[in-house]
Amino acid sequence: VCYADGTGVGQDYFEAARWYRMAADQGNARAQYSLGTCYTKGSGVDQDHAEAVRLYRLAVDQGDADARLDALNNLGLCYMH
């Protein structure tokens, strides 16, 4: 989040996506959601809606209530567009 927001470090979407990926690969639902958002927006990664949907679905399946709600919301938006 620090790299994505520029909090305490220079804003760097590529670096944010790299850290989100490491946490997402460990099964962290919030990181899966955040990395999915990177793919939706093309922030630090090439825009890839299919990968975003895959990551949002992983986040939903983790059971973290906050990440799940955010991921479900973004999944709905993906299907609207």
Side-chain angles (χ1 to χ4, degrees), residues 8-80:
V9 295
Q11 191 173 40
D12 185 338
Y13 293 118
F14 177 79
E15 192 66 13
R18 187 174 79 81
W19 284 99
Y20 290 147
R21 168 67 65 198
M22 285 191 282
D25 287 348
Q26 296 295 315
N28 182 286
R30 176 57 56 185
Q32 291 164 341
Y33 161 74
S34 295
L35 186 57
T37 301
C38 289
Y39 277 103
T40 296
K41 296 179 179 179
S43 298
V45 295
D46 291 335
Q47 192 173 43
D48 183 340
H49 294 288
E51 179 65 2
V53 167
R54 185 186 77 79
L55 287 160
Y56 292 147
R57 286 182 176 162
L58 285 174
V60 167
D61 291 341
Q62 294 301 321
D64 177 290
D66 291 333
R68 184 171 192 203
L69 288 174
D70 290 340
L72 284 169
N73 181 61
N74 282 13
L75 271 171
L77 292 172
C78 287
Y79 286 106
M80 285 177 59

